Amino acid sequence: EDEDEGPLHTAISRDLSGLNYRGQGLAIPSEKIKDKLFKCLELTSAMKPTTEPQESSALIEQYGKIAVEFGEVLKEIHNEMIKVGADGQTAEWRKVEAFSRQYSFCINLERNVSLLWNHLLKLDALEDMTNSEARRRCKPEEGVRYCDMLKADLA
C-alpha cells in the first residue's frame, strides 16, 4: 500500500478546503494554516483593479502586506512539513506548499503589472512629456524598472 493512499490520506482528503490546485481538491491538514491561507486569499480578493492612477507607494504597501502574510504562511507550512517528515501527509503538504508558493508568485506578478499599468495611466494623462514637471510626475526610468521586474518574474 502506497503511503499516500493509506487510511490517514483518505480521511484528510475528505476534509477538503474548498480550494483547487491544478484540478484537484486541496486538503489542508492544519486548521491554523488553513485559516491563515484563507486570510491571505481574502486580502488578495480585496485588491480591486482600477482605471485611475494611484500612488505607487500605496500599491506597494497593499501588496507588501499580502506578501508578508504569504511569507508567514509558507514558513509555517515548511515547519509543518519538517515536523511530519516522511511519516505523515506528505502529499497533502506538498500540494498546500505548491499552491501557496504559486499563488504568492502570481500576486507578486500582479503587483508588478499593476505598478506598470499605474505608470502608463500617469503617462497617458500627460499632455507634454518634455517639460520638467511631466518628467517629475512620470519618470521614464521608473517604467523601465517595472518592465525589468516583470521580465525577471517571467524569466
Side-chain angles (χ1 to χ4, degrees):
E1 181 175 44
D2 185 28
E3 72 178 74
D4 291 338
E5 297 301 323
L8 187 57
H9 173 76
T10 307
I12 295 293
S13 295
R14 287 188 195 124
D15 183 30
L16 296 178
S17 61
L19 300 173
N20 284 310
Y21 178 65
R22 298 189 177 192
Q24 297 180 351
L26 190 64
I28 303 175
S30 165
E31 280 298 316
K32 178 181 169 187
I33 290 178
K34 180 180 178 180
D35 292 342
K36 288 188 173 200
L37 189 56
F38 273 97
K39 180 182 176 187
C40 290
L41 297 175
E42 286 174 17
L43 286 172
T44 60
S45 66
M47 296 295 297
K48 301 292 182 206
T50 179
T51 57
E52 297 298 317
Q54 296 178 304
E55 284 299 317
S56 296
S57 59
L59 281 172
I60 291 169
E61 183 179 335
Q62 290 172 325
Y63 280 105
K65 288 177 186 176
I66 296 170
V68 166
E69 292 292 329
F70 267 110
E72 290 176 10
V73 168
L74 281 166
K75 182 179 176 183
E76 289 194 31
I77 290 170
H78 292 148
N79 289 338
E80 289 295 323
M81 289 174 85
I82 291 169
K83 269 192 229 176
V84 225
D87 300 331
Q89 311 111 349
T90 55
E92 285 86 3
W93 281 115
R94 282 192 307 257
K95 284 182 188 175
V96 170
E97 194 269 345
F99 172 84
S100 301
R101 191 173 9 92
Q102 185 173 352
Y103 208 96
S104 177
F105 172 80
C106 290
I107 290 302
N108 188 51
L109 187 63
E110 180 181 303
R111 179 201 67 199
N112 292 338
V113 168
S114 296
L115 287 168
L116 179 60
W117 179 250
N118 190 51
H119 186 75
L120 293 174
L121 287 174
K122 288 178 186 176
L123 181 64
D124 193 41
L126 297 175
E127 294 289 325
D128 180 18
M129 187 61 193
T130 59
N131 67 39
S132 61
E133 176 62 22
R135 292 186 57 78
R136 186 188 62 74
R137 288 185 54 214
C138 189
K139 299 174 185 167
E141 57 274 6
E142 196 173 293
V144 171
R145 185 171 57 93
Y146 296 145
C147 289
D148 287 343
M149 289 167 41
L150 279 171
K151 182 181 172 187
D153 284 345
L154 297 173

